[in-house]
Amino acid sequence: MADAPTPGPDRAVPLSDSTLHDLPSAVSVPGYDRTALVPSVVHIGVGGFHRAHQAVYLDELARRGHRDWGLVGVGMHSPQIGEVLEAQDRLYTVVERGAEQESARVVGVLTRYLLTADDPGAVLDVLADARTRVVTLTITGTGYRIDPHSGEFDADDDAVRADLEDPERPGTVFGLLTGALARRREAGTGPFTVLSCDNMQHNGAAARTAVLSFARLRDERLGDDLAGWIEENVTFPSSMVDRITPTTTPEERDAIAASTGVDDRWPVITEPFTQWVVEDSFCAGRPPLEEVGVQFVDDVVPYETMKTRLLNASHCALGYLGHLAGFRTIDELMADDVFREYLVRLMGEEIAPLLPPVPGIDLTEYQRTLVQRLSNPRMGDQLLRLCRRGSSKMPNYVFPSLRAALEQHRPHQLLVLAVAGWMRFLRGYDYAGERFPVEGPLSERLGDLAREGDVEPEVLLSESTVFDSLSRDEHFVASVEVALRALEEQGPREVIQLYLTLDEEGAA
């Protein structure tokens, strides 16, 4: 019998409700009645990560017979994803790429998609609906507007001021949340849980601070006490999320159509690994996500500390040094013995020994799994994607380990090299003078300082909003200057190889 022909993009089936049963049998499709889903979870920030992570967990619940946790998606400004989803009856494909095989599933749990910029009133209505019990967020760390030093909400923003002046047409996340909670209080329908799923430590506390701070500003204008009601009734659990999700390019979209037979205008590519750890603090009930692999705990901090200091810090270290060395994807870099050994030693010798115990986690096995995940040749995560927002990532992911190592007089030279790699990257050009984008908050200012200081780090370290106490540590300043000069004279791979041959005293 002849092999079945490869579907090819020209023979792929356009994704919609009416074509679900026409898709190739290898594609897993939702077998539940989508019209029976109760829209009780609202998610703000429907990007690739959410579609590969939280939405998949909810889809799996629906497949197991739990129809009370349907999903409503909310975008803030960009209409593109909404247009694609609506054209496909809010269906989309998740492609899991392991090192040796690929699988595809169609996610059907999304019942509705709204764009705040088009109709903020409709978003308020959904949030105020008594059926809404949980509101989840992926709005990026900077979206919470929390000053990293004071820990306070920064209200100095035109959009925030506009929401305070016209609370019935909010354009910010916190204007939406407080407006909806005000309606629910008035109607007697009770609160909803606000669950941050952003990749940042203490994300629940950040969400709580932002919502309460905005509510207090609102109260000052309206003579209300909404903030007091929120503080007493609304819960803001923290969570730790993990699943590598690269950006889907047009070329990848065509490749997915060819390999799966599904014509999806915006599929999501992700890895088989997924993890979600959630603080069990819900004021209006919660979905039984423990049935589909979510871990509910009393304290998320050890898990998020482990993840941010191992995975996210590794992304930072490898991203900047690897791009400067000429690599473009993480799997290509991990195929290089020198960079692979750098990662293993960075995690095992300089980061992991500083971590607190993590209940139920074998840190040695966790590190081995990270190496395997980053080495997956079928993911091809772009290093430049990992290099975005360095001014927030480095202080959150790398600097905590570095400060702890300096305080405890533990090995830290590989961490210093990661910082030097970022400083060199901030100049915005490689060793051949070829320019590349430096994206993120403060990127223009930090780039100017990096170019001005060249191999002398003091100029860049003067930016206290980023470096804080590190700029006053003479040992660190001297160490990073040595690393910067070495990178300039020899290049990243050669310097890493040198540092790997030295012990802490030799490198210092």
Side-chain angles (χ1 to χ4, degrees), residues 10 22 120 131 137 210 286 294 309 313 320 329 336 347 418 432 490:
D10 56 333
D22 299 327
R131 293 175 296 177
L137 309 174
R286 65 166 176 79
V294 175
R309 295 195 188 182
Y320 301 118
T329 64
D336 183 283
M347 292 194 300
Q490 301 179 56

Side-chain angles (χ1 to χ4, degrees), residues 127-150:
L127 290 169
D129 190 319
R131 293 175 296 177
T132 297
R133 300 164 72 183
V134 180
V135 178
T136 55
L137 309 174
T138 49
I139 58 176
T140 76
T142 56
Y144 294 85
R145 303 191 59 79
I146 304 297
D147 184 280
H149 301 287
S150 68

